[in-house]
Amino acid sequence: MKYLIYFFFCIILSSCISKKIINGNLPDADTISLLKVGQDDKNSVKQILGEPSFKGSLGDNAYYYVGSLKSKIAFLKSNVKEQYILELKFSKNNKLKNIYFYDKSLSTDVAMSSLETKTDGTKQSFFQQILGNFGVPGMKRGGPILGSGKAED
């Protein structure tokens, strides 16, 4: 009985241990050193580093590679411990022009808007969502459904 209590106590404690979560597509320094400014173009950069995390969309001719290390305890919100961004700027003829490297200290928190976008549709309660899948499918639509036993008026 004593060992069973120790066993459950260890399981409970292990579930609260901080977990490391690695996200993103940040290449290592050795791979980045293979790039040659003025010589490599977008295709050769993709062959060396792979697809970027995202591409510049506001008129900047750039590729961005992002990587982050987060820690999380059980069900709590994760905390960003480290975050890095590799920015590759290209000239007008798509040749690699500059390489920039940013870390978390250069980031800025952006306040999210509290406004919501209104959409068409119905609001369902939690139980309506759960129980909505029981019964004959499509009964909420109001139209005749083959095999449902409903007849047209």
Side-chain angles (χ1 to χ4, degrees), residues 23-82:
N23 292 12
N25 178 21
L26 187 69
D28 61 359
D30 292 335
T31 308
I32 296 169
S33 68
L34 297 174
L35 298 176
K36 294 177 180 68
V37 175
Q39 293 180 1
D40 285 317
D41 61 357
K42 287 185 174 183
N43 290 331
S44 63
V45 167
K46 281 186 193 178
Q47 288 176 350
I48 295 170
L49 301 181
E51 282 291 323
S53 300
F54 59 95
K55 299 172 184 177
S57 60
L58 298 174
D60 58 338
N61 194 11
Y63 283 172
Y64 297 91
Y65 294 85
V66 181
S68 65
L69 174 65
K70 299 178 182 180
S71 67
K72 183 174 181 173
I73 298 175
F75 57 86
L76 301 176
K77 184 179 174 184
S78 61
N79 296 325
V80 177
K81 296 293 182 188
E82 297 177 27

Side-chain angles (χ1 to χ4, degrees), residues 6-26:
Y6 287 138
F7 176 72
F8 285 118
F9 184 70
C10 289
I11 289 176
I12 290 170
L13 283 180
S14 68
S15 67
C16 295
I17 293 175
S18 176
K19 297 175 185 172
K20 291 183 180 180
I21 303 167
I22 300 171
N23 292 12
N25 178 21
L26 187 69

